[in-house]
Amino acid sequence: MPKGQVVQLAPEKYGGLMDEQETAAYLGYGKQLPDADMLTQLRHCADMLLPALSPRYMFVPVRLLREGADAQGTLAADFGAEKLVLPGKAIRAHLGETGLAVAACLTLGEAVDERIDKLQKESMLDALLTDALANAAVERLRMELEQDVKETLGLAVGWLFGIGYEDFPLTLQHDFLRCMAAKEGIGLSVNGQGILSPLKSVTGFLDIRDGFQKGEKRCDGRCGMCQKREECRFFKGAR
């Protein structure tokens, strides 16, 4: 059985995942929109992508266990029946010194992969646009997840730090999905190379921010919209 709360996004919310501005950023337009012809093609691709979406996510609060106070100490997430060691300095910095985090994963569903794969054989332009639309949809779904976590737990939480970012290794995917029972929960699995299936999926941890100083500015994780994404270590690690 799944270890956490499982949510299938309501169909009436699917359209909200189609974000033209975010998609344009993934296509290299920055904060500008494409010209009228490209926008028309982009909207056509969005209309074709919508029926393929099956956006869903799951999350579970986990207790953080620490052995050693410095950056070389061991950090682990306690899932109850199993404890998962979280290697790397980046995840330690992201989760801070609180004793609680939220493990989470999300996916757009397998039909999105099938749609993009089909387009790669028919039209590389449509495949490129649809892939960017799907990447933007993942960002929007992540925001839905983060808001749901905030409302469900009644805690101030940060953004989802994905497995594979910086020095947080992809080799953790298999054990993470097992601890989450993500296959049973949202149909999410991983191959021997640490690649998720479906591809348009994200796994990782949200930090708990209760207790941070008022007005402290932190990254919100919206890589597609950030002007500094090309020099950002998190964006480079996530691509």
Side-chain angles (χ1 to χ4, degrees):
M1 294 294 290
K3 304 291 180 64
Q5 182 160 327
V6 178
V7 176
Q8 173 78 45
L9 204 67
E12 58 267 24
K13 288 189 173 184
Y14 288 12
L17 300 180
M18 299 290 99
D19 188 310
E20 288 181 358
Q21 186 71 70
E22 188 99 44
T23 302
Y26 275 103
L27 289 169
Y29 286 90
K31 292 192 175 183
Q32 303 298 316
L33 287 175
D35 61 30
D37 289 342
M38 186 62 75
L39 270 179
T40 298
Q41 190 67 18
L42 188 63
R43 287 164 183 165
H44 170 73
C45 290
D47 289 341
M48 296 300 100
L49 179 61
L50 272 174
L53 293 177
S54 182
R56 50 199 187 262
Y57 58 80
M58 61 186 299
F59 61 90
V60 59
V62 293
R63 190 163 58 95
L64 296 176
L65 308 174
R66 292 178 175 83
E67 182 179 338
D70 60 22
Q72 301 303 317
T74 299
L75 177 66
D78 184 358
F79 285 84
E82 190 168 359
K83 296 176 179 60
L84 184 65
V85 174
L86 309 181
K89 294 181 180 179
I91 187 63
R92 176 183 284 277
H94 181 73
L95 295 180
E97 296 303 320
T98 58
L100 183 69
V102 179
C105 49
L106 60 89
T107 184
L108 296 183
E110 51 283 338
V112 172
D113 292 354
E114 294 167 4
R115 174 67 183 162
I116 295 172
D117 184 63
K118 183 173 185 291
L119 285 173
Q120 287 175 342
K121 300 176 178 66
E122 299 174 351
S123 167
M124 287 307 298
L125 175 59
D126 285 353
L128 176 67
L129 296 179
T130 302
D131 186 75
L133 282 161
N135 287 335
V138 167
E139 287 293 294
R140 300 297 297 183
L141 183 59
R142 181 180 60 77
M143 293 172 68
E144 288 278 348
L145 160 67
E146 291 165 0
Q147 184 61 35
D148 194 356
V149 171
K150 292 174 187 177
E151 294 175 358
T152 300
L153 300 183
L155 292 171
V157 301
W159 58 282
L160 182 64
F161 189 101
I163 295 174
Y165 286 17
E166 203 176 335
D167 64 348
F168 195 28
L170 281 174
T171 52
L172 200 67
Q173 294 282 31
H174 183 271
D175 290 339
F176 177 87
L177 295 181
R178 185 186 67 250
C179 288
M180 292 286 288
K183 179 66 174 178
E184 299 89 336
I186 60 173
L188 186 56
S189 59
V190 63
N191 66 18
Q193 288 71 49
I195 305 301
L196 293 171
S197 178
L199 285 171
K200 297 304 181 183
S201 306
V202 178
T203 60
F205 291 86
L206 293 91
D207 55 310
I208 303 297
R209 295 189 172 184
D210 278 14
F212 287 118
Q213 294 182 2
K214 186 177 181 180
E216 183 179 7
K217 186 176 182 180
R218 284 176 171 252
C219 173
D220 66 0
R222 295 193 67 189
C223 299
M225 298 293 288
C226 182
Q227 292 182 329
K228 296 185 177 180
R229 63 186 178 278
E230 293 301 333
E231 60 190 75
C232 175
R233 55 199 173 114
F234 297 125
F235 180 74
K236 290 179 179 177
R239 286 192 293 187

